[in-house]
Amino acid sequence: MMDYVDLVFLTMGLLALSSVLFTFLTVRTKDLMYAVIYSSVQSVAYALIYFLLLAPDIVLVYVAVAVGIYPLVIILLIKKVGRYEVRV
Amino acid sequence: MRDIVFMSLLVVIILALTYLTYSGGLGDLPPQDIRVIARNYLNLTYNQEISWLWAASPEAVTAIVWDYRGLDTLFETVVFYGAILAALTLFRSISKIPEFVSSAGLSLIVKRVTAIVTLAILTVAASTALHGHLTPGGGFQGGAIASVAPLLLLVVFGKQFFIERKITYSKLLSLRNISLVLLGLNSVALVILGFLIGVGGFVFQNQAKAVSVLSYPSYLLDVPLGGSLFFFNLFEFLAVASGFTLVFTILLSRDDTLRKELEGEELGY
């Protein structure tokens, strides 16, 4: 009933939806460390979408940057500005 | 209330995009035919029967990135080089300040695990970069993966670990500059060679073309070498990995050192 291509597109759709959810959590959460983790999860969903779209070259650099380098830079920033977001 | 508005806006956007895609906004999904330009690249990149147009690399993406569209990638590399250079210039005096505080790093368990993982990361990075002309990957990808290893080492073992092993700022900077010079030379190597022996050549030449007979070797033993692609990937790998490592070394300096650098002189910020 459901062939391979349908399965790939369904997975891509679910990943895209979950990335929207994690983007929402990233924006809404008050704890910035959690925001970094949510943002990384969203990036992983994007990396999987790239993989399903047959772009392995992008995946290789995307995973390294989104899970390794980008959280580091943001965490260094959080270390300087404080972990909890305060509304003024 | 704001949350509800925000959520409903999100849902509306998702539904609108879904509707556009579903009603054919992106054409047939999945596409039923290969586009002309893709067909050309697939036909030419590793077709030995049309070897006056090939790039000698089984990986079409790398062939496009470093051969057919080599100049674009060179400019990308230059932009990346400039960005790192700007960061290094901002904090240039930090490199001269010795770190007197030696951090002991994290616990023994974390250190052992990191040591094993670092080896694996470097292996994957080298394989990604050096097989860039055979499998998906390439110099930038390999360099980005490799730069995670020194990042882990800096956090887990402390900066002292690098200093004790004589991996200094200036050595990394030299490695980066040398590999960028070699990358530039690689793109004009056949022009210079052609000039010296009196035949034509062009910038970013890889394999022999109708107007020029010079060529990089296309095989190493019985493995396809991809001509200049292998060397481009190698030098880009070294340049990207050392560039990222330099920036991490600066970012992970002590807080007061960094702040003093940003405060500037009598004019303040």
Side-chain angles (χ1 to χ4, degrees), chain B residues 173-194:
Chain B
L173 201 61
S174 315
L175 175 67
R176 181 176 136 76
N177 289 337
I178 289 169
S179 37
L180 277 160
V181 168
L182 285 174
L183 202 146
L185 277 181
N186 197 19
S187 60
V188 291
L190 288 191
V191 183
I192 297 171
L193 182 66

Side-chain angles (χ1 to χ4, degrees), chain B residues 94 97 99 101 103 153-154 157-164 249-250 252-254:
Chain B
I94 284 187
I97 303 171
E99 294 266 321
V101 176
S103 84
L153 290 181
L154 273 172
F157 285 82
K159 211 170 175 180
Q160 201 63 31
F161 180 81
F162 274 51
I163 297 167
E164 278 165 14
T249 324
I250 284 182
L252 288 167
S253 295
R254 285 171 55 209

Side-chain angles (χ1 to χ4, degrees), chain B residues 1-248:
Chain B
M1 183 59 203
R2 280 180 55 160
D3 270 7
I4 297 168
V5 175
F6 190 65
M7 278 301 261
S8 46
L9 197 64
L10 216 57
V11 170
V12 168
I13 290 173
I14 291 173
L15 286 180
L17 285 175
T18 312
Y19 176 73
L20 282 177
T21 315
Y22 195 70
S23 60
L26 294 176
D28 278 345
L29 282 177
Q32 299 299 315
D33 53 340
I34 305 174
R35 278 179 291 173
V36 181
I37 186 163
R39 195 181 299 136
N40 280 345
Y41 282 129
L42 289 174
N43 279 339
L44 294 180
T45 307
Y46 199 61
N47 192 344
Q48 307 211 13
E49 286 163 20
I50 323 176
S51 69
W52 64 91
L53 283 177
W54 75 335
S57 157
E59 235 274 295
V61 176
T62 306
I64 293 168
V65 164
W66 278 121
D67 189 355
Y68 297 118
R69 294 281 176 272
L71 267 180
D72 295 11
T73 317
L74 187 71
F75 286 128
E76 270 173 40
T77 306
V78 168
V79 168
F80 181 72
Y81 179 75
I84 299 240
L85 204 65
L88 296 184
T89 316
L90 266 179
F91 296 101
R92 63 191 173 283
S93 64
I94 284 187
S95 61
K96 299 189 185 71
I97 303 171
E99 294 266 321
F100 291 115
V101 176
S102 75
S103 84
L106 303 182
S107 77
L108 183 69
I109 299 170
V110 183
K111 279 185 179 174
R112 281 306 101 205
V113 173
T114 311
I116 296 166
V117 170
T118 302
L119 196 65
I121 290 175
L122 287 178
T123 314
V124 169
S127 132
T128 308
L130 300 181
H131 289 170
H133 56 290
L134 301 174
T135 53
F140 189 84
Q141 286 89 335
I145 295 171
S147 65
V148 178
L151 168 60
L152 277 177
L153 290 181
L154 273 172
V155 173
V156 173
F157 285 82
K159 211 170 175 180
Q160 201 63 31
F161 180 81
F162 274 51
I163 297 167
E164 278 165 14
R165 275 153 192 78
K166 303 272 189 293
I167 306 172
T168 56
Y169 184 90
S170 50
K171 272 184 193 164
L172 283 171
L173 201 61
S174 315
L175 175 67
R176 181 176 136 76
N177 289 337
I178 289 169
S179 37
L180 277 160
V181 168
L182 285 174
L183 202 146
L185 277 181
N186 197 19
S187 60
V188 291
L190 288 191
V191 183
I192 297 171
L193 182 66
F195 183 71
L196 288 179
I197 63 174
V199 295
F202 56 89
V203 179
F204 273 100
Q205 180 168 10
N206 180 3
Q207 298 298 312
K209 299 281 185 291
V211 291
S212 150
V213 292
L214 292 171
S215 176
Y216 272 94
S218 49
Y219 285 95
L220 180 69
L221 304 177
D222 56 345
V223 183
L225 186 63
S228 61
L229 306 182
F230 175 78
F231 300 103
F232 277 128
N233 276 335
L234 177 64
F235 298 140
E236 175 89 359
F237 169 64
L238 292 175
V240 169
S242 51
F244 270 133
T245 310
L246 278 171
V247 171
F248 293 150

Side-chain angles (χ1 to χ4, degrees), chain A residues 5-6 9 16-17 20-21 23-24 27-28 55-62 64-65 67-69 72-73 76 79-80 87, chain B residues 2-3 6-7 10 14 29-30 59 61-62 128 135-138 140-141 144-145 147-148 151 155 244 248 251-252 255 258:
Chain A
V5 174
D6 281 342
F9 271 74
L17 274 179
V20 172
L21 179 68
T23 312
F24 178 73
V27 175
R28 290 303 300 173
D57 297 78
I58 306 291
V59 176
L60 284 170
V61 73
Y62 202 89
V65 170
V67 181
I69 296 165
L72 167 88
V73 175
L76 282 174
K79 202 179 128 199
K80 293 190 190 344
R87 181 160 289 173
Chain B
R2 280 180 55 160
D3 270 7
F6 190 65
M7 278 301 261
L10 216 57
I14 291 173
L29 282 177
E59 235 274 295
V61 176
T62 306
T128 308
T135 53
F140 189 84
Q141 286 89 335
I145 295 171
S147 65
V148 178
L151 168 60
V155 173
F244 270 133
F248 293 150
L251 282 178
L252 288 167
D255 248 9
L258 278 176

Side-chain angles (χ1 to χ4, degrees), chain A:
Chain A
M1 185 175 82
M2 182 187 248
D3 64 348
Y4 173 72
V5 174
D6 281 342
L7 193 65
V8 166
F9 271 74
L10 182 70
T11 319
M12 265 162 50
L14 290 177
L15 285 169
L17 274 179
S18 66
S19 80
V20 172
L21 179 68
F22 278 103
T23 312
F24 178 73
L25 286 173
T26 309
V27 175
R28 290 303 300 173
T29 183
K30 293 275 183 279
D31 188 338
L32 295 179
M33 286 302 273
Y34 280 107
V36 173
I37 294 165
Y38 290 144
S39 182
S40 290
V41 174
Q42 178 251 331
S43 304
V44 169
Y46 275 14
L48 288 170
I49 293 176
Y50 279 129
F51 181 73
L52 292 175
L53 286 172
L54 301 180
D57 297 78
I58 306 291
V59 176
L60 284 170
V61 73
Y62 202 89
V63 167
V65 170
V67 181
I69 296 165
Y70 157 78
L72 167 88
V73 175
I74 304 289
I75 287 172
L76 282 174
L77 190 67
I78 289 172
K79 202 179 128 199
K80 293 190 190 344
V81 300
R83 179 167 170 175
Y84 295 97
E85 191 179 329
V86 186
R87 181 160 289 173
V88 285

